[in-house]
Amino acid sequence: MTAPADVGHYARAHARWHWSEIAFWALALACAVLFPSRFLIMTDIVRLALFALSLDLILGYAGIVSLGHAAFFGVGAYCAGLLALHGIVTEPVVALLIAGLVATAVGFLTSFLVIRGADLTRLMGDAGDRLAIGSAGRALFQHHRRH
């Protein structure tokens, strides 16, 4: 057998659902039915888990430092908050859809800046990391200075 055929065979053999994965998803779906009063907190957990999973994929597997996930997440949250604050949209599901569309549009428009070159992406990532570390250090310094 050739190497690509071996890889394809291996991928097909391991692409099946394991019983533990089926049990996990059955338990997760059962929680939604068994605890309907906790539905809001469960949706928050799922939302944040998806955010963490996407960040793990790009940072852990690909090794790419990306602040785009936080920006996309923040633009959507900020838009939903503004819609609720000003009473523009009173239905939460509609506000969520609009916030997702606004975040998508902002991500699409800023993608043209980032696609131009890897240097800009690296520069934005490094600058964002330095800014975060610097502001955390400044806050820690000011906290110890007061006490």
Side-chain angles (χ1 to χ4, degrees):
M1 265 191 176
T2 63
D6 290 340
V7 171
H9 175 70
Y10 180 82
R12 280 191 300 278
H14 289 88
R16 306 290 184 248
W17 284 63
H18 194 261
W19 67 268
S20 60
E21 295 168 330
I22 295 170
F24 171 77
W25 288 110
L27 181 66
L29 290 173
C31 284
V33 175
L34 294 174
F35 306 109
S37 63
R38 305 282 186 218
F39 192 72
L40 288 176
I41 189 71
M42 287 188 287
T43 55
D44 281 347
I45 291 169
V46 169
R47 180 177 47 85
L48 290 172
L50 285 173
F51 176 71
L53 178 65
S54 66
L55 190 60
D56 179 51
L57 284 174
I58 194 165
L59 187 63
Y61 289 106
I64 301 170
V65 176
S66 172
L67 297 176
H69 283 77
F72 187 78
F73 198 71
V75 166
Y78 192 71
C79 178
L82 286 176
L83 290 173
L85 178 68
H86 296 295
I88 297 169
V89 177
T90 57
E91 179 64 36
V93 175
V94 175
L96 179 68
L97 291 174
I98 292 172
L101 290 173
V102 168
T104 301
V106 170
F108 178 74
L109 293 174
T110 56
S111 70
F112 294 110
L113 295 173
V114 176
I115 288 177
R116 280 292 191 188
D119 294 335
L120 179 62
T121 305
R122 204 172 301 118
L123 176 67
M124 289 173 65
D126 291 346
D129 292 344
R130 288 185 188 130
L131 181 65
I133 292 170
S135 61
R138 189 177 326 109
L140 185 64
F141 176 73
Q142 289 174 352
H143 174 74
H144 283 298
R145 192 173 177 188
R146 282 188 226 142
H147 297 286

